[in-house]
Amino acid sequence: MMDSLPLTGIKVIDFTGVQAGPACTQLLAWFGADVLKVERTTGGDVTRHQLQDIPDVDALYFTMLNSNKRSLAIDTKTAAGLAVMEKLIRRSDVLVENFAPGAMDRMGLSWEHIHELNPRLIYGSVKGFNDESAWADLKVYENVAQAAGGAASTTGFWDGPPTISAAALGDSNTGMHLAIGILTALIGREQTGRGQKVSVAMQDAVLNLCRVKLRDQERLERVGYLEEYPQYPNGTFTDVVPRGGNAGGGGQPGWILKCKGWQDDPNAYIYFTIQEQNWARTCEAIGKPEWATDPAYRTAKARQPHIFDIFADIEEWLADKTKYEAVDILRAYEVPCAPVLSMKEIAYDPALRESGTVVEVAHKERGTYLTVGSPIKFSDFKPTITGAPLLGEHTDEVLLELGYDGDEIADMHAEKVV
């Protein structure tokens, strides 16, 4: 096991709010960086107060995105507050922000000024659209990014409207992309000695996860149809990639199928994939061994015209099996499948608890709460997840580290700078 975490010694200014930026800096904190969340003295990060489940206690929205960090509450609109920020910049390795376009410049903290203060600092920035976009000045949230990045137009059913995913494709996904960029820039600094600005646009990050749909657009324009979509061969195609419902995106037909109890349980389903190279074993698993050699079923091309009839027959086989029983049977035949898990099932899944993917942590005001731990696993260490900080919890501690004495700190409190 490692004596210290890989990012130990890296100092990060977390000048972010809501989700995309905090998701990025939380990853860095989990892996050992000293992440200092710089917040407004009046209320702090807006998510501290959004969707509160306990009155006057930081909301889960905040605590689940800000573990392992310290908090400095400061008014950067004052000369003294801006001076604190500049001191922080001089001693830090990374600054991450996700303010609206132009906000950092108006604050007196443009990239040029920051780079002059500390040429080695990595500046990480989340924006809605990249600088070349005609919409670069737009303020963007999760669902806006999903719409602009191609996810919404390709999600849902063909006879319904575009649909937003519950997964944070715009927010947390962008934060993770930015973390990769920051770590790359830190490695680059070892070679050049200089920092650089790293930007990730939410539209771009969503599109990166929708690359197979861009692939499909090119295929569609060339041949006029997409053979793995439910619309083929009996439906029609236009000149844009259609919504495919629950179809698989990689050429392996799949669908959400009912299991025992679906009438009362909205999640009594499995995702069932028909893998071409495993078709014979799949037929054996579902009690249809004759399908393996039947010309109407033997190949993917032969099956596609009546793929939904096949799924209907599989649902009949599933009718007396719970989703867990079905998966236990199918896994023995190497059929790619999974139960549709509710958030409650995930919250109490013992394997997810054991792996550290779901963790309970202590908080000074709310007691213990459940949060998502590191999805990235390492052989040499397991990140320890600690509770999110209270607003300004470490303000005096940080000011002392920056060289302010007790009288100066008291004056800042009196003047409401901190």
Side-chain angles (χ1 to χ4, degrees), residues 291-370:
W291 283 0
T293 54
D294 187 327
Y297 293 89
R298 190 170 59 235
T299 67
K301 188 173 183 179
R303 291 190 294 272
Q304 190 60 30
H306 52 272
I307 191 69
F308 287 107
D309 294 329
I310 293 172
F311 284 135
D313 286 338
I314 297 172
E315 273 196 335
E316 288 186 14
W317 176 79
L318 290 166
D320 64 348
K321 302 170 184 66
T322 69
K323 62 187 179 184
Y324 296 109
E325 291 169 342
V327 169
D328 280 343
I329 293 169
L330 294 168
R331 67 197 288 204
Y333 292 87
E334 299 181 282
V335 176
C337 62
V340 173
L341 296 179
S342 70
M343 279 297 144
K344 185 173 183 178
E345 288 169 307
I346 286 172
Y348 295 99
D349 186 302
L352 293 176
R353 296 288 188 101
E354 178 63 26
S355 68
T357 300
V358 175
V359 295
E360 276 191 15
V361 296
H363 186 267
K364 290 180 176 64
E365 292 183 345
R366 69 163 45 248
T368 59
Y369 66 95
L370 204 62

Side-chain angles (χ1 to χ4, degrees), residues 117-130:
L117 290 172
N118 183 354
R120 288 178 55 81
L121 183 132
I122 310 300
Y123 181 117
S125 179
V126 172
K127 290 292 178 279
F129 297 90
N130 63 48

Side-chain angles (χ1 to χ4, degrees), residues 12-294:
V12 179
I13 302 170
D14 179 354
F15 213 19
T16 72
V18 192
Q19 186 175 166
C24 167
T25 53
Q26 182 170 248
L27 276 178
L28 303 179
W30 285 345
F31 304 151
D34 177 10
V35 175
L36 180 63
K37 189 171 183 71
V38 179
E39 302 182 74
R40 300 170 301 162
T41 55
T42 54
D45 189 320
V46 296
T47 60
R48 286 185 182 272
H49 314 287
Q50 288 184 342
L51 308 175
Q52 286 176 311
D53 57 314
I54 303 174
D56 302 319
V57 172
D58 289 336
L60 288 166
Y61 196 3
F62 177 84
T63 63
M64 293 181 73
L65 286 159
N66 292 284
S67 56
N68 294 59
K69 302 178 185 180
R70 298 193 292 166
S71 172
L72 166 69
I74 189 168
D75 185 356
T76 57
K77 293 180 181 179
T78 66
L82 188 60
V84 172
M85 276 298 298
E86 291 185 340
K87 281 193 174 187
L88 279 173
I89 288 166
R90 289 189 180 95
R91 68 188 285 274
S92 296
D93 299 285
V94 178
L95 181 148
V96 185
E97 60 87 14
N98 63 344
F99 289 106
M104 289 290 284
D105 292 353
R106 292 190 295 271
M107 206 179 298
L109 293 171
S110 65
W111 157 239
E112 292 75 18
H113 181 51
I114 288 172
H115 192 55
E116 183 180 4
L117 290 172
N118 183 354
R120 288 178 55 81
L121 183 132
I122 310 300
Y123 181 117
S125 179
V126 172
K127 290 292 178 279
F129 297 90
N130 63 48
D131 291 341
E132 285 69 37
S133 173
W135 302 324
D137 60 337
L138 278 176
K139 195 171 184 178
V140 175
Y141 290 101
E142 172 66 49
N143 294 351
V144 176
Q146 288 196 33
S153 71
T154 54
T155 302
F157 284 83
W158 46 91
D159 56 353
T163 303
I164 298 299
S165 170
L169 306 179
D171 277 326
S172 284
N173 166 51
T174 302
M176 292 178 191
H177 275 81
L178 183 58
I180 294 169
I182 288 169
L183 294 174
T184 302
L186 283 169
I187 293 172
R189 190 179 71 176
E190 295 301 307
Q191 302 169 8
T192 67
R194 293 179 65 80
Q196 59 181 301
K197 185 176 182 180
V198 182
S199 300
V200 181
M202 295 170 75
Q203 180 190 36
D204 298 354
V206 171
L207 177 57
N208 190 39
L209 296 191
C210 293
R211 65 177 65 191
V212 296
K213 299 301 182 180
L214 185 60
R215 170 206 69 187
D216 293 347
Q217 182 64 37
E218 295 187 78
R219 293 169 55 224
L220 180 63
E221 291 177 7
R222 184 174 296 277
V223 301
Y225 61 88
L226 298 167
E227 62 189 35
E228 76 280 16
Y229 279 65
Q231 291 85 344
Y232 179 85
N234 302 315
T236 58
F237 289 88
T238 67
D239 61 348
V240 299
V241 174
R243 290 182 277 284
N246 291 317
Q252 308 286 351
W255 207 252
I256 297 281
L257 301 179
K258 299 171 184 173
C259 293
K260 180 181 178 181
W262 67 271
Q263 298 92 336
D264 301 311
D265 180 356
N267 295 301
Y269 292 79
I270 66 168
Y271 194 90
F272 189 105
T273 308
I274 296 176
Q275 191 177 33
E276 176 67 8
Q277 61 268 37
N278 197 45
W279 175 239
R281 297 203 72 199
T282 302
C283 296
E284 186 181 354
I286 62 175
K288 296 285 187 180
E290 67 276 10
W291 283 0
T293 54
D294 187 327

